[in-house]
Amino acid sequence: MKLRPSVLTLLMLFVGLATCFASNPNLGTWKLNEAKSKLAPGMPKNLTVVYEAAGDKVKVTIDGVDGKGNATHNEWTGKFDGKDYPVTGDASSDTRSLKQVDERTNDLTVKKNGKVTMSGKIVVSADGKSRTVTVSGTDAAGKKVTSTAVYDKQ
């Protein structure tokens, strides 16, 4: 008889998580719109960014090209809680953190060996069809850079 309340509790938990992620405007596949972007010369281009639910976290998969045009692929799984979570596949960073500011805005911090190399803001448009990522920091040569990338939802 105790099985029924446990099953109902688990069911409600999964429904709650699904509802939470379903309302997250970041989830989905985003493709770089180079015509609307203002990318710093020599900076990597994240051509496709995929946000997907991964349990109680979000998995972000990024495919693009580096400053020399070589293909890149990296992944990050974490929460939008401002804590550092590890990155795999990115030579220029080892952790990233995302902190939710409001429903459509997140602050981004990128670190290498504990040192902040990039920080910025991710904003999803009110209609949910585009997102703008504005970052500033230092490139691999130690030069200050600022970049704005605009993505279209696929």
Side-chain angles (χ1 to χ4, degrees):
M1 301 315 132
K2 293 182 181 184
L3 182 61
R4 186 171 185 209
S6 297
V7 170
L8 287 175
T9 300
L10 282 174
L11 180 62
M12 292 304 292
L13 173 67
F14 287 120
V15 168
L17 282 173
T19 302
C20 176
F21 283 121
S23 65
N24 186 335
N26 292 286
L27 295 183
T29 300
W30 301 91
K31 185 175 178 183
L32 179 66
N33 183 329
E34 288 191 62
K36 292 182 179 180
S37 299
K38 294 178 184 164
L39 304 174
M43 281 207 46
K45 292 180 188 177
N46 296 333
L47 301 174
T48 305
V49 180
V50 178
Y51 283 74
E52 59 188 324
D56 66 341
K57 297 180 182 175
V58 174
K59 179 180 178 183
V60 181
T61 304
I62 301 172
D63 289 300
V65 294
D66 64 16
K68 297 177 182 175
N70 299 313
T72 61
H73 175 88
N74 64 77
E75 297 179 3
W76 175 89
T77 302
K79 296 180 181 183
F80 295 177
D81 59 5
K83 295 180 182 177
D84 292 340
Y85 292 92
V87 176
T88 59
D90 184 1
S92 66
S93 71
D94 48 31
T95 65
R96 291 185 192 136
S97 68
L98 288 169
K99 183 175 183 180
Q100 187 170 8
V101 175
D102 61 39
E103 182 181 294
R104 300 193 174 283
T105 307
N106 292 297
D107 286 335
L108 166 70
T109 304
V110 178
K111 294 180 182 178
K112 179 72 175 179
N113 298 322
K115 181 181 174 188
V116 175
T117 58
M118 290 277 173
S119 61
K121 193 167 289 298
I122 302 168
V123 180
V124 176
S125 64
D127 65 6
K129 293 181 181 180
S130 67
R131 67 193 277 270
T132 302
V133 180
T134 305
V135 296
S136 61
T138 54
D139 63 12
K143 188 171 101 175
K144 297 277 183 193
V145 292
T146 301
S147 194
T148 301
V150 178
Y151 295 86
D152 299 320
K153 191 154 196 180
Q154 301 300 293

